[in-house]
Amino acid sequence: MTLAVSIQQLQCSRGQFRLGPVDLQVPAGARVAIVGPSGSGKTTLLRCLAGLQAPDSGTIQIGDTIVDDGQTRLAPAERHVGLVFQDGALWPHMTALKHLRFAAPGLSKQDALALLDRGGILSQANKKPGAMSGGEAQRLGLLRALAPAPSVLLLDEPLRSVDVHQRDGLVLLLRSMCDERNVTSILVTHDRDEALALADYLVVMRDGQLVEQGPSIDLLEDPQTAFTAAFLRGAACLSAKANGNGQVQTPFGNFPAPDAAKANSDMRLVVFPGETTADEQGEGPEAQILAVTPSEGDGLRLRVACEDQIVIARAATRPTGATTRLRLTAKPRLLPWHNHATEPQS
Amino acid sequence: MAARNERLARLPLWLALAFLSLFVLVPLAVLVFETLWSQDGFTLDAWRALADDENAVEQLLASLRLGVAATCISAVLGAGHAWLTVARDMPGRSWLGPLGVAPLVVPPIFIAMAFSDLVQDVAGFWPCAILLGVAHAPFVAVLTTRGLRTVDGRAYEAALLLRGRGPADRWLLRSIAPELIAGCLLAFLFTVAEHGVPEFLTVKGKTWHTYAEGIFSRWSRRAVGTTHAELQSPIVAALPFLAALGCMLWAALRLRASNPDRGVIRPLPVQTLGKLRWPALLLPITYLGAGVFLPLFVLTRWVLGSAQRLDPMGLDYARESFAKAMDQGLPDLMHSLYLGLGVAAVVVLLAIPLARQSARRWPLLDLLTSLPAAMPAILLGIALARTFNSNPGIGWTNFDFYESWGFAVCGYAVRFLPFAALTLASQVRRQSIAAEEAGRFVQRSASSRALRLHVLPLMPAAWSAFVLSFVLALRELDLAVMLPAANATAVRRLANAVHFQHEDWSGVIALLLLSAAVLLPLLPSLLAGRKLSSLS
């Protein structure tokens, strides 16, 4: 497998925040998304990769070239990467055509116009960013990053400043242009939908550490940590305790404890939306109704509060007017013990 | 190669820093050194002489009083003009607003000459304060206008709905306070540093003196038996004053920078003045009348022969005046124009790298850059003369730099550099850092990137800085007195010419000078159709 990017033991501190150590390998041609909440370190990681921020230690290799290892530190322009900024970061005094020709010194006018045409903004060739819509500006940001033919395209929340109705077009353009040019793309975002739309492989980060990584479908179907389950699928994470008898006591009943679980240790019980039902006769924990909305399938979709967590549940019938509390029935999962250290505390 | 390109791209910054060191830090150090060192060696006589000199303290207090009084007048005129033209429905506000900056074009000495021509015995503290208050009100007007334009009208309307007009207007005042205070501090600085107008009114019979006059009078008597201590004591007195002014100026600049342009905002709602709509015109009429139209009226009368008591005055005499002006004043006018253009070019070239550095990396560079603005021009002139006049360190060539136009350009450039550097630094702070980072991925030389991505976006602000420096250079009188090559500028000659009944051709030169000063800022509006409001 040819690697487009290889990061080893990367560490970077900025004020109180510390990133890493991070190890990450991205195969050539892959579409990777680094996801996590604000302050998780994903943007710092991207900036280190781009050469906009100097790491404290570690090695970054792009293709066959070591671009940063403490002794060697290549400038951003020498790394053969392109970066699409979240707000476009366009040059306000240049037209779209000049953007491309300045970004790629060898690009002829014809080629630049063809690129603009490919990006669907040929009509904006002689306009400055101030005269473009958010979607057009972001398309130009993408074309500018791709114009010098980089081997790796870095994307910093590229859909954030784009109107909802323009997002699909930009997603399709991004994916198709990366495929055409065989460019490896690395996206950072805190938006699950953006990540799933633009990437096939997810890397989940929290507090400067990689929590979990894998193909998108695997992480969605079978997350290995409660944090990933909550972040990617909106799962509720309920508190649970292991007793000394090899059982874990939960509001949904007792479960066999993982082998390494110690007595009285905190654990997480993960409840996925769609796998939980709510009714008045159930035996599960009690929950308070917060909102009732129509479900996409049969029945109703309920948002209920259970032990300080919001759980999405299904209900076959509409609760009667006087009913404010229901009981939940679910197939919760107790996640492997060794990952609990990085899970949310509440 | 890349490293060499990086070094090349930083060359303008190092040149600008070298210039600042050579023309600001070294002259200041020389000035301080000379207060402590005489022919007999180390001495504190100058400091003792100050302690025994009641005049110096009186002059300092007089300057402070004058500064406070003139600044109050500037605040009323400038802030009032801005408030009426931006937030109230005063008739003609769309064109009166941009005119708020107009008195900046008229040298204060012209206003003083106009008043003394129209009103007998213009002398004393209050006439001087009024004249300087009018002359420096544009600083308050321009900055207050900017402040009012950066307030979000929706926030004001929210305050209006919740608490009513009084509290909403108090909220508005607090919102524009940084800009208002910055404008007042700049007006105060220019007033206390002013030497030309108080000196001109001295001739007309004034009996009190400012400390800038005190410094200059000792300096001008240095060859006729003034002791070292006597000569240095006003400078000693000026040093703590300079430090205080420097801190105030820095505070003003920080206040201004702390109120940056916000993103998309809705302008303040224009509220009605009701019955006061037409009477409100009195304020701009007074302000612009005293600061612009009165001087223009008097200068025009001079051209027509008023000083020669011609009755009736006529165009025939105006033609004569024009012919005399071409014969006797044209070289001075051309000197002024060339000097102004040279100064503006040097100022902008120096200000761009300094502004970028102070906005992006070294915020304290603002303090060093703004230091010359805190120095009275007379003191700056003395410091430059002390450093560069017959200095053996630079006397190894036959070229007399001190007497050259280059020296005058450098001296003026130092004086006006803070305003340009500030304007540009403020603009750099408003630019997107991400857009600059995007430029780092471009495979071009560092110089090319700097020029295309850093300098070009600054061009509109650089043009403003160029115009401001040009206008300030045209009206500068104090440095023109001090620097040999600048002695021949039009303003300097005009200040003298009126004492010798040469008002006729002086008026022509003054009007031409004002025309040149007005034409430059109007060029973008004339050629590119930019709105007049961009002037303010």
Side-chain angles (χ1 to χ4, degrees), chain B residues 171-184:
Chain B
W171 172 86
L172 181 63
L173 185 63
R174 278 199 300 277
S175 299
I176 62 165
E179 304 278 353
L180 182 60
I181 293 171
C184 288

PDB file of all heavy atoms in Angstrom, chain B residues 171-184:
ATOM      1  N   TRP B 171     -25.598  54.841  25.446  1.00  0.00           N
ATOM      2  CA  TRP B 171     -24.972  53.607  24.970  1.00  0.00           C
ATOM      3  C   TRP B 171     -24.160  53.890  23.688  1.00  0.00           C
ATOM      4  O   TRP B 171     -23.027  53.405  23.526  1.00  0.00           O
ATOM      5  CB  TRP B 171     -26.061  52.563  24.685  1.00  0.00           C
ATOM      6  CG  TRP B 171     -25.525  51.329  24.019  1.00  0.00           C
ATOM      7  CD1 TRP B 171     -24.993  50.232  24.606  1.00  0.00           C
ATOM      8  CD2 TRP B 171     -25.429  51.104  22.605  1.00  0.00           C
ATOM      9  NE1 TRP B 171     -24.578  49.332  23.677  1.00  0.00           N
ATOM     10  CE2 TRP B 171     -24.827  49.840  22.430  1.00  0.00           C
ATOM     11  CE3 TRP B 171     -25.785  51.831  21.467  1.00  0.00           C
ATOM     12  CZ2 TRP B 171     -24.594  49.290  21.177  1.00  0.00           C
ATOM     13  CZ3 TRP B 171     -25.540  51.286  20.218  1.00  0.00           C
ATOM     14  CH2 TRP B 171     -24.961  50.023  20.082  1.00  0.00           C
ATOM     15  N   LEU B 172     -24.751  54.715  22.824  1.00  0.00           N
ATOM     16  CA  LEU B 172     -24.060  55.057  21.571  1.00  0.00           C
ATOM     17  C   LEU B 172     -22.761  55.804  21.868  1.00  0.00           C
ATOM     18  O   LEU B 172     -21.717  55.530  21.266  1.00  0.00           O
ATOM     19  CB  LEU B 172     -24.990  55.912  20.699  1.00  0.00           C
ATOM     20  CG  LEU B 172     -24.446  56.351  19.352  1.00  0.00           C
ATOM     21  CD1 LEU B 172     -24.164  55.151  18.468  1.00  0.00           C
ATOM     22  CD2 LEU B 172     -25.437  57.276  18.645  1.00  0.00           C
ATOM     23  N   LEU B 173     -22.837  56.712  22.839  1.00  0.00           N
ATOM     24  CA  LEU B 173     -21.647  57.489  23.196  1.00  0.00           C
ATOM     25  C   LEU B 173     -20.553  56.562  23.722  1.00  0.00           C
ATOM     26  O   LEU B 173     -19.374  56.707  23.372  1.00  0.00           O
ATOM     27  CB  LEU B 173     -22.016  58.539  24.244  1.00  0.00           C
ATOM     28  CG  LEU B 173     -20.906  59.521  24.629  1.00  0.00           C
ATOM     29  CD1 LEU B 173     -20.491  60.358  23.430  1.00  0.00           C
ATOM     30  CD2 LEU B 173     -21.371  60.438  25.757  1.00  0.00           C
ATOM     31  N   ARG B 174     -20.962  55.609  24.549  1.00  0.00           N
ATOM     32  CA  ARG B 174     -19.961  54.661  25.066  1.00  0.00           C
ATOM     33  C   ARG B 174     -19.365  53.831  23.929  1.00  0.00           C
ATOM     34  O   ARG B 174     -18.179  53.516  23.929  1.00  0.00           O
ATOM     35  CB  ARG B 174     -20.598  53.729  26.101  1.00  0.00           C
ATOM     36  CG  ARG B 174     -20.696  54.331  27.484  1.00  0.00           C
ATOM     37  CD  ARG B 174     -20.884  53.231  28.541  1.00  0.00           C
ATOM     38  NE  ARG B 174     -22.101  52.451  28.313  1.00  0.00           N
ATOM     39  CZ  ARG B 174     -23.310  52.814  28.713  1.00  0.00           C
ATOM     40  NH1 ARG B 174     -23.459  53.918  29.385  1.00  0.00           N
ATOM     41  NH2 ARG B 174     -24.361  52.050  28.469  1.00  0.00           N
ATOM     42  N   SER B 175     -20.185  53.497  22.942  1.00  0.00           N
ATOM     43  CA  SER B 175     -19.702  52.671  21.824  1.00  0.00           C
ATOM     44  C   SER B 175     -18.666  53.401  20.980  1.00  0.00           C
ATOM     45  O   SER B 175     -17.722  52.783  20.482  1.00  0.00           O
ATOM     46  CB  SER B 175     -20.869  52.257  20.924  1.00  0.00           C
ATOM     47  OG  SER B 175     -21.793  51.509  21.643  1.00  0.00           O
ATOM     48  N   ILE B 176     -18.856  54.708  20.818  1.00  0.00           N
ATOM     49  CA  ILE B 176     -17.903  55.435  19.963  1.00  0.00           C
ATOM     50  C   ILE B 176     -16.817  56.105  20.796  1.00  0.00           C
ATOM     51  O   ILE B 176     -15.958  56.803  20.237  1.00  0.00           O
ATOM     52  CB  ILE B 176     -18.622  56.489  19.080  1.00  0.00           C
ATOM     53  CG1 ILE B 176     -19.297  57.551  19.956  1.00  0.00           C
ATOM     54  CG2 ILE B 176     -19.605  55.855  18.140  1.00  0.00           C
ATOM     55  CD1 ILE B 176     -19.706  58.780  19.174  1.00  0.00           C
ATOM     56  N   ALA B 177     -16.837  55.888  22.113  1.00  0.00           N
ATOM     57  CA  ALA B 177     -15.861  56.564  22.979  1.00  0.00           C
ATOM     58  C   ALA B 177     -14.401  56.321  22.546  1.00  0.00           C
ATOM     59  O   ALA B 177     -13.610  57.268  22.542  1.00  0.00           O
ATOM     60  CB  ALA B 177     -16.084  56.150  24.430  1.00  0.00           C
ATOM     61  N   PRO B 178     -14.019  55.086  22.184  1.00  0.00           N
ATOM     62  CA  PRO B 178     -12.621  54.904  21.799  1.00  0.00           C
ATOM     63  C   PRO B 178     -12.194  55.812  20.641  1.00  0.00           C
ATOM     64  O   PRO B 178     -11.132  56.428  20.684  1.00  0.00           O
ATOM     65  CB  PRO B 178     -12.558  53.425  21.381  1.00  0.00           C
ATOM     66  CG  PRO B 178     -13.674  52.783  22.116  1.00  0.00           C
ATOM     67  CD  PRO B 178     -14.750  53.809  22.188  1.00  0.00           C
ATOM     68  N   GLU B 179     -13.052  55.900  19.634  1.00  0.00           N
ATOM     69  CA  GLU B 179     -12.715  56.733  18.475  1.00  0.00           C
ATOM     70  C   GLU B 179     -12.726  58.210  18.866  1.00  0.00           C
ATOM     71  O   GLU B 179     -11.866  58.986  18.442  1.00  0.00           O
ATOM     72  CB  GLU B 179     -13.727  56.498  17.351  1.00  0.00           C
ATOM     73  CG  GLU B 179     -13.860  55.061  16.904  1.00  0.00           C
ATOM     74  CD  GLU B 179     -12.775  54.677  15.931  1.00  0.00           C
ATOM     75  OE1 GLU B 179     -12.025  55.583  15.520  1.00  0.00           O
ATOM     76  OE2 GLU B 179     -12.676  53.487  15.591  1.00  0.00           O
ATOM     77  N   LEU B 180     -13.715  58.589  19.650  1.00  0.00           N
ATOM     78  CA  LEU B 180     -13.838  59.991  20.054  1.00  0.00           C
ATOM     79  C   LEU B 180     -12.624  60.414  20.881  1.00  0.00           C
ATOM     80  O   LEU B 180     -12.032  61.486  20.643  1.00  0.00           O
ATOM     81  CB  LEU B 180     -15.134  60.166  20.856  1.00  0.00           C
ATOM     82  CG  LEU B 180     -15.480  61.562  21.344  1.00  0.00           C
ATOM     83  CD1 LEU B 180     -15.632  62.518  20.177  1.00  0.00           C
ATOM     84  CD2 LEU B 180     -16.779  61.547  22.149  1.00  0.00           C
ATOM     85  N   ILE B 181     -12.247  59.568  21.829  1.00  0.00           N
ATOM     86  CA  ILE B 181     -11.093  59.902  22.675  1.00  0.00           C
ATOM     87  C   ILE B 181      -9.819  59.941  21.830  1.00  0.00           C
ATOM     88  O   ILE B 181      -8.972  60.829  22.001  1.00  0.00           O
ATOM     89  CB  ILE B 181     -10.959  58.868  23.819  1.00  0.00           C
ATOM     90  CG1 ILE B 181     -12.159  59.008  24.758  1.00  0.00           C
ATOM     91  CG2 ILE B 181      -9.670  59.071  24.589  1.00  0.00           C
ATOM     92  CD1 ILE B 181     -12.255  57.902  25.795  1.00  0.00           C
ATOM     93  N   ALA B 182      -9.690  58.988  20.908  1.00  0.00           N
ATOM     94  CA  ALA B 182      -8.502  58.982  20.042  1.00  0.00           C
ATOM     95  C   ALA B 182      -8.417  60.277  19.240  1.00  0.00           C
ATOM     96  O   ALA B 182      -7.342  60.882  19.129  1.00  0.00           O
ATOM     97  CB  ALA B 182      -8.545  57.775  19.103  1.00  0.00           C
ATOM     98  N   GLY B 183      -9.540  60.716  18.687  1.00  0.00           N
ATOM     99  CA  GLY B 183      -9.551  61.968  17.918  1.00  0.00           C
ATOM    100  C   GLY B 183      -9.180  63.154  18.791  1.00  0.00           C
ATOM    101  O   GLY B 183      -8.400  64.026  18.376  1.00  0.00           O
ATOM    102  N   CYS B 184      -9.713  63.206  20.020  1.00  0.00           N
ATOM    103  CA  CYS B 184      -9.410  64.317  20.925  1.00  0.00           C
ATOM    104  C   CYS B 184      -7.927  64.315  21.310  1.00  0.00           C
ATOM    105  O   CYS B 184      -7.294  65.377  21.390  1.00  0.00           O
ATOM    106  CB  CYS B 184     -10.268  64.219  22.185  1.00  0.00           C
ATOM    107  SG  CYS B 184     -11.987  64.614  21.886  1.00  0.00           S
TER     108      CYS B 184
END
